[in-house]
Amino acid sequence: MNDAPKHRPLVFSGMQPTNTLHLGNYLGALKNWIKLQDQMPCLYCVVDMHAITVWQDPAQLARATREVTAAYIAAGVDPARSILFNQSQVAAHAELAWVFNCVARIGWLNRMTQFKDKAGKNRENASVGLFVYPDLMAADILAYRATHVPVGEDQKQHLELSRDIAQKFNLDYSAPDFFPLPEPVITGPGTRVMSLRDGTKKMSKSDESDNSRINLTDDADTIAQKIRRAKTDTHPMPSEPKELEGRPEAENLINIYAGLAGHTPETVIAEYAGAQFSTFKNALADVAVAKLTPIADEMRKLLNDPAEIDLILKNGAARAAAIAAPVMEEVRRLVGFVG
Ligand code: TRP
């Protein structure tokens, strides 16, 4: 069934340059991306073309693209080893997305829950780009014949669509195994970071309350303050994992601690069993500050030299384009484009 061995293992993932990144992006994605660099070649993309599926102020988009690039590097993406670039600089993404617009079916896209959520009630007024967003995502991955895609829960449906597109392309153009069927890479503990104000909601850059999230650019005092103010319940720390049932805020803080300290949640529970929450919060604030402030400092340093960031992106784009070129040549031939 799985044709992965026919394709060289390759990671592709991306994030939208929409706001500054937060702890959820770090623990849920970046931390995992960094580890994967030791396992196989990786492409990490700032998906600015995806960003404009909803309106973006141009100056702000450019700023956010540099900021997300700086965050990738500050968190540990090594631009010498991995290919770090922004999507709009490699034309293969747009070109292959067009072909995929003609492979994917309207019925498939109609089933995408993220479109329904993002378009909301005013579906008629959503951009066409927002509707075909998953086709562009499939193109991102398949232009490089990437086999492994670290994604969060919310992107699983899109990744499944990428597999369907790959499969239908291979079938329609009688090119068995031309595209791999990309696999999700499941992330470890601490993956789902929830809001500090409501343990049932994901930590999100669009939450109105800045106290609900820890931004990667927050300074030490802000981080400590947000953690001390984080919502908890009236019980002390649990002594066993099953005591976390119905305590989403406690569970979230324990997961965050585990993710940041590189422990399992079970170890954290054992260590703080029965402690007052304030004691645990102080320890969590220390771990968070120790782990996150060096990232913020490095980001600030990098952002002081935007020309250097642009150069890194340009080099990355050239390396990415070189991998996509032979794939796209073959796509054009298979589809019947003359030239
Ligand atoms: N849609 C993803 C998100 O919003 C970002 C993304 C775009 C992506 N292209 C991708 C992720 C390709 C993985 C692979 O999170």
Side-chain angles (χ1 to χ4, degrees):
M1 242 347 262
N2 193 331
D3 61 353
K6 292 198 183 68
H7 296 276
R8 87 169 167 137
L10 185 69
V11 169
F12 185 100
S13 199
M15 270 186 222
Q16 293 193 44
T18 41
N19 244 310
T20 43
L21 299 184
H22 54 71
L23 183 63
N25 302 117
Y26 176 67
L27 288 181
L30 284 175
K31 217 184 102 192
N32 206 44
W33 291 12
I34 288 146
K35 263 192 283 172
L36 285 167
Q37 296 182 113
D38 299 327
Q39 296 168 28
M40 53 187 110
C42 300
L43 290 121
Y44 293 127
C45 189
V46 183
V47 291
D48 48 5
M49 290 162 65
H50 274 109
I52 64 162
T53 55
V54 297
W55 170 253
Q56 302 295 330
D57 172 77
Q60 169 57 26
L61 178 66
R63 209 174 314 125
T65 297
R66 293 193 183 101
E67 208 166 284
V68 170
T69 305
Y72 285 6
I73 299 170
V77 171
D78 175 359
R81 266 199 297 167
S82 298
I83 298 181
L84 172 48
F85 70 110
N86 60 317
Q87 192 182 26
S88 59
Q89 282 200 81
V90 180
H93 294 253
E95 185 181 358
L96 189 57
W98 180 257
V99 175
F100 288 170
N101 283 342
C102 303
V103 171
R105 307 289 89 186
I106 289 179
W108 298 2
L109 290 165
N110 271 336
R111 285 196 283 276
M112 297 294 114
T113 56
Q114 185 171 293
F115 175 75
K116 289 181 208 167
D117 292 345
K118 282 202 184 172
K121 285 191 199 71
N122 202 355
R123 201 188 130 109
E124 293 289 304
N125 197 39
S127 76
V128 177
L130 189 65
F131 187 64
V132 294
Y133 177 117
D135 295 350
L136 178 59
M137 183 162 156
D140 296 341
I141 299 162
L142 296 170
Y144 307 98
R145 288 172 154 152
T147 53
H148 293 71
V149 183
V151 282
E153 217 33 64
D154 64 323
Q155 296 297 315
K156 282 239 177 89
Q157 195 186 31
H158 288 162
L159 191 60
E160 269 161 39
L161 190 89
S162 297
R163 296 166 65 90
D164 292 341
I165 289 175
Q167 205 156 27
K168 187 168 191 300
F169 181 98
N170 292 350
L171 197 73
D172 288 355
Y173 292 104
S174 310
D177 301 324
F178 178 71
F179 284 124
L181 307 185
E183 303 274 355
V185 179
I186 308 300
T187 54
T191 294
R192 267 175 79 73
V193 179
M194 312 306 281
S195 158
L196 299 179
R197 312 292 322 164
D198 176 352
T200 63
K201 273 197 342 208
K202 247 179 81 166
M203 185 176 283
S204 159
K205 51 193 164 197
S206 51
D207 196 309
E208 275 163 39
S209 163
D210 194 58
N211 282 324
S212 72
R213 66 184 157 261
I214 294 172
N215 302 304
L216 289 187
T217 46
D218 283 345
D219 61 26
D221 288 346
T222 310
I223 294 172
Q225 207 170 64
K226 284 178 177 175
I227 289 174
R228 288 200 191 97
R229 286 189 188 154
K231 185 177 167 195
T232 44
D233 49 43
T234 53
H235 305 288
M237 290 287 287
S239 324
E240 285 182 67
K242 70 171 194 304
E243 288 173 32
L244 281 175
E245 233 161 89
R247 301 180 65 189
E249 283 82 17
E251 184 175 12
N252 186 38
L253 293 181
I254 288 169
N255 281 342
I256 291 174
Y257 188 107
L260 285 170
H263 296 325
T264 63
E266 290 73 23
T267 323
V268 180
I269 292 168
E271 193 178 342
Y272 289 94
Q276 287 306 309
F277 242 101
S278 54
T279 311
F280 174 69
K281 277 182 169 178
N282 283 335
L284 175 57
D286 288 346
V287 175
V289 166
K291 198 80 196 178
L292 298 178
T293 49
I295 297 178
D297 291 346
E298 182 64 21
M299 268 181 81
R300 257 189 298 278
K301 217 166 78 193
L302 289 162
L303 287 165
N304 273 335
D305 191 356
E308 177 62 24
I309 294 184
D310 294 1
L311 193 64
I312 289 170
L313 288 173
K314 196 169 170 194
N315 286 335
R319 288 162 67 202
I323 300 176
V327 180
M328 292 311 297
E329 218 168 281
E330 192 58 16
V331 166
R332 288 180 212 114
R333 195 190 64 77
L334 285 168
V335 172
F337 292 160
V338 175

